[in-house]
Amino acid sequence: MPPYPYGEYENARVVILPVPYDSTVTARGGARDGPDAIITNSVDMELYDVGLGFETYLHGIYTSPPVAVTNESPEAMINRIHAVAGEFVEDGKFLVTLGGEHTIAVGSFRAHRDRYPGLSVLAIDAHADLRDEYQDTRYNHACTLRRMLDDRVPLVQVGLRSAAVEEAQFIRDYPLPFFSPRDFRKLPDLSRIVNALSEYVYVTIDLDGIDSGEMPAVGTPEPGGLRWDEVSELMETIAASRRIVGFDVMELSPDLGPKAASYAAAKLAYRMIGLALGPPEGS
């Protein structure tokens, strides 16, 4: 938590919402421990971001108590997240949601959709997450982006390198813009990605979108992902011409990798806040 008074709710422009939920994971579990690991390892960060040139915490960052988990159903859990996130968004806070499995992002996305008409989504993920249903629920982590597309929002996928055949067909039929890491690196610039997004952008980050050599602590790692600097460059470019109104960081399973992975996730969230909000007043 930032030093007093920057960690107090009334002084904070930013709210961190931890959601320790991973009930629909299908590979290796442990993402429920992700939010606590990110918050705990954030203590080790220098508060001055050399890449940005300012101290992001001066915006004020409040850490909310975790969302209580319900086992009624995955859909009930998403509805609970939607309600809790919506209270913070409607109160004018910049919301950062920490998971937990990627399904959590649907609840946070819907809270932002309610406030920002014309919202678009930038998704960093190794997997398509476009199944309409998986393991008898439409709210499995493999269905995350499909549930966002129920609202017909503009959505761009970056980092994709794994999909079921029906998901690949859905991408072609929609059609849905996506960029594998290899395609991303071939772009002469990032205008194709930026131009596919609207003025208001919600960013959802499944950490397996990052190369498994840099981010091994995920339940479903895939080789050949985005590198740290590539993610930073993409976020910097989006923030320069679009308004990032909220984001999430999902799927950290801290026991599946070194402590450095949890620290990197914390650093990414802190960097994202700074990029989205810019320099604090007077800094």
Side-chain angles (χ1 to χ4, degrees), residues 1-2 5-17 55-64 88-89 91-98 112 244-247 269-270 272-278 280:
M1 180 179 292
Y6 298 102
E8 304 298 312
Y9 185 80
E10 59 271 21
N11 300 316
R13 189 174 174 188
V14 180
V15 168
I16 306 296
L17 181 63
E55 294 177 299
T56 297
Y57 86 91
L58 294 175
H59 283 295
I61 302 174
Y62 169 78
T63 301
S64 167
F88 291 124
V89 174
D91 202 26
K93 303 297 186 180
F94 183 87
L95 185 65
V96 178
T97 308
L98 302 180
H112 290 84
I244 298 174
V245 297
F247 69 91
Y270 193 66
M272 285 283 298
I273 294 168
L275 286 170
L277 299 184

Side-chain angles (χ1 to χ4, degrees), residues 174-229:
Y174 196 81
L176 192 65
F178 78 93
F179 300 86
S180 69
R182 193 171 184 178
D183 292 335
F184 178 84
R185 294 180 185 116
K186 290 179 180 178
L187 293 172
D189 56 52
L190 300 181
S191 59
R192 285 182 60 194
I193 296 174
V194 174
N195 291 339
L197 298 167
S198 65
E199 176 185 359
Y200 298 121
V201 180
Y202 180 82
V203 180
T204 181
I205 301 174
D206 184 327
L207 289 169
D208 63 29
I210 299 175
D211 188 77
S212 56
E214 294 189 12
M215 182 53 65
V218 293
T220 51
E222 290 283 346
L226 299 171
R227 306 304 295 269
W228 170 270
D229 287 343

Side-chain angles (χ1 to χ4, degrees), residues 19-148:
V19 189
Y21 175 78
D22 64 358
S23 293
T24 79
V25 294
T26 51
R28 298 179 296 171
R32 70 183 63 188
D33 298 321
D36 184 65
I38 293 172
I39 293 166
T40 298
N41 282 276
S42 70
V43 175
D44 295 333
M45 290 191 310
E46 297 284 3
L47 296 177
Y48 177 82
D49 189 308
V50 173
L52 298 181
F54 55 80
E55 294 177 299
T56 297
Y57 86 91
L58 294 175
H59 283 295
I61 302 174
Y62 169 78
T63 301
S64 167
V67 176
V69 172
T70 175
N71 290 317
E72 177 186 345
S73 69
E75 183 175 6
M77 186 63 195
I78 298 312
N79 289 339
R80 177 172 291 183
I81 297 163
H82 182 185
V84 174
E87 292 180 4
F88 291 124
V89 174
E90 287 305 311
D91 202 26
K93 303 297 186 180
F94 183 87
L95 185 65
V96 178
T97 308
L98 302 180
E101 65 171 71
H102 201 190
T103 323
I104 292 163
V106 178
S108 184
F109 156 76
R110 288 177 175 172
H112 290 84
R113 171 208 64 189
D114 294 344
R115 184 172 177 87
Y116 298 99
L119 185 67
S120 60
V121 176
L122 174 66
I124 294 179
D125 199 333
H127 305 91
D129 287 0
L130 290 169
R131 298 174 191 255
D132 193 41
E133 182 177 304
Y134 194 64
Q135 294 190 333
D136 301 321
T137 177
R138 299 175 79 239
Y139 289 88
N140 185 282
H141 73 122
C143 307
T144 300
L145 300 185
R146 186 66 172 266
R147 294 288 73 79
M148 294 183 184

Side-chain angles (χ1 to χ4, degrees), residues 151-188:
D151 291 293
R152 304 296 295 182
V153 297
L155 188 150
V156 182
Q157 295 175 293
V158 180
L160 176 64
R161 53 200 188 277
S162 180
V165 65
E166 60 267 28
E167 292 176 301
Q169 187 63 50
F170 179 85
I171 289 171
R172 289 191 292 268
D173 292 344
Y174 196 81
L176 192 65
F178 78 93
F179 300 86
S180 69
R182 193 171 184 178
D183 292 335
F184 178 84
R185 294 180 185 116
K186 290 179 180 178
L187 293 172

